[in-house]
Amino acid sequence: NNAAIIINTGSTLEGRALSTAGSIDVDGILGYTPIGCGSPTLTGPTAPTLGTAACYAIFSTDGAVSNTGITTITGDVGSNNGSATGYDSLLVTGTIHPIPDVSTAQCAADLLVAYNYVNVLPYDIELKFPVLLGSSLVLTPHTYLMNAAAHLTDTLFLNAQGNANAIFVIQINGALTSSTYSQVVLTNLAQAKNVYCKIEGAVSINNYSVFCGTIICNNGALGALNTGVTLNGRSLTTTGAITTTAITAVASPIPGSCGPVGISNLDETNEAITIYPNPFSASATIVLNDISKSNTPQLKMYNVLGKEMMNVIITKSTTIFDTSNLPSGV
């Protein structure tokens, strides 16, 4: 009452600053109204389905994937049309796919589905100054559009408002770059697994930056994840090379279905059948590596009680079975 309010740099105000007569000065603060005091409960959009792409921390559908320096990865690394080089298997908790295989092929297909979803997702809010992304900007769970290239500088806060399941989708119709030491900070129960950034163009994350979320890059190289970058999420591109330099990437959580499993019962010297993922939930893929050696193969699936759940004649070298209608766990 009858006095000024001054809130200085780095402070957080969960509430309101109200004055009957006097100035209010703020400088680089985080301020928001408390949940339950007139603020809506925000959940954001429905998250895209990553499928097997969730197994990968670093992946390109069409482009080489390479590393220099000491890089630590949790998740798979690979390309479906190029090589994956420079990664130390002792520092990768996951599978390095040095050349394309059945796993990278499935990942490429699943990544395209995820991209198509986030690309056409209707946006709630358009951010008019993409070149100033960050700068202590606070975003709540929504779908955001930036209709030009964006530059992440300083700090971008993602505030889930106490909802651990809240989803953030950021659509960037252009390239994404960042300044050194830029960071995405998760607040109020926001989780990296619920953050998705779709980029139409190249991506370059500068030295010692921290990025949280899944990067889905379309038709552009993930030109550089530079020295000291921490990626709490995934770096995925439909087209273009990916280079990493002494980074730390954690694609958490890793689904339990990740990792192809080969079965060689039909031929002791050559792997005749590949089944993945294992375990599976929504679908399973069976690959006959030489269908000419097969004589009308048949798939029968039973539950633990002995009831037949599926009976299918396999006529192609690669068959994907929809198992989403089956009860889980048995």
Side-chain angles (χ1 to χ4, degrees):
N1 182 47
N2 292 328
I5 299 174
I6 300 174
I7 309 177
N8 287 311
T9 303
S11 298
T12 298
L13 170 66
E14 182 181 0
R16 297 172 176 84
L18 311 174
S19 175
T20 60
S23 65
I24 300 177
D25 298 321
V26 298
D27 181 6
I29 75 162
L30 173 61
Y32 52 91
T33 55
I35 301 301
C37 296
S39 297
T41 300
L42 301 176
T43 60
T46 301
T49 300
L50 293 178
T52 56
C55 301
Y56 285 78
I58 308 292
F59 178 80
S60 173
T61 296
D62 187 4
V65 175
S66 61
N67 174 70
T68 56
I70 300 174
T71 286
T72 302
I73 301 288
T74 300
D76 287 5
V77 177
S79 168
N80 196 48
N81 189 19
S83 59
T85 58
Y87 294 92
D88 185 345
S89 60
L90 297 178
L91 299 177
V92 176
T93 304
T95 302
I96 300 173
H97 302 264
I99 59 174
D101 55 28
V102 290
S103 175
T104 62
Q106 186 63 50
C107 181
D110 291 344
L111 176 57
L112 182 59
V113 171
Y115 164 75
N116 287 336
Y117 172 80
V118 294
N119 186 49
V120 300
L121 193 65
Y123 68 89
D124 304 314
I125 298 170
E126 182 175 356
L127 301 176
K128 293 291 190 178
F129 299 97
V131 294
L132 295 178
L133 178 63
S135 302
S136 297
L137 176 67
V138 181
L139 301 182
T140 51
H142 285 287
T143 299
Y144 295 89
L145 171 67
M146 282 174 283
N147 215 10
H151 183 74
L152 175 63
T153 185
D154 189 30
T155 304
L156 173 67
F157 294 96
L158 300 181
N159 178 7
Q161 298 188 330
N163 182 0
N165 296 317
I167 305 298
F168 300 79
V169 173
I170 302 174
Q171 302 168 331
I172 301 175
N173 289 338
L176 173 66
T177 57
S178 85
S179 58
T180 302
Y181 293 102
S182 63
Q183 59 180 338
V184 176
V185 174
L186 305 176
T187 64
N188 286 343
L189 300 184
Q191 300 189 66
K193 69 176 183 177
N194 294 330
V195 179
Y196 302 88
C197 190
K198 185 226 68 165
I199 300 148
E200 295 289 339
V203 177
S204 179
I205 306 298
N206 216 333
N207 295 356
Y208 307 106
S209 295
V210 177
F211 193 94
C212 298
T214 294
I215 297 173
I216 300 177
C217 178
N218 183 53
N219 289 331
L222 270 152
L225 299 175
N226 288 306
T227 302
V229 165
T230 298
L231 173 62
N232 295 318
R234 299 167 177 83
S235 177
L236 314 171
T237 182
T238 61
T239 305
I242 301 177
T243 60
T244 58
T245 305
I247 74 164
T248 299
V250 180
S252 180
I254 303 294
S257 59
C258 293
V261 176
I263 300 176
S264 55
N265 299 21
L266 298 184
D267 187 334
E268 294 181 356
T269 59
N270 295 298
E271 188 178 81
I273 294 178
T274 301
I275 303 175
Y276 68 92
N278 184 14
F280 58 83
S281 55
S283 66
T285 300
I286 293 183
V287 178
L288 299 180
N289 296 326
D290 189 350
I291 197 170
S292 65
K293 294 183 179 180
S294 304
N295 183 17
T296 315
Q298 185 176 16
L299 169 71
K300 293 185 178 182
M301 186 183 298
Y302 301 87
N303 67 14
V304 292
L305 302 178
K307 179 181 177 180
E308 185 177 288
M309 307 297 292
M310 184 180 291
N311 188 335
V312 179
I313 301 296
I314 301 175
T315 59
K316 299 182 294 184
S317 60
T318 300
T319 306
I320 300 177
F321 297 97
D322 181 10
T323 57
S324 60
N325 62 324
L326 297 179
S328 62
V330 295

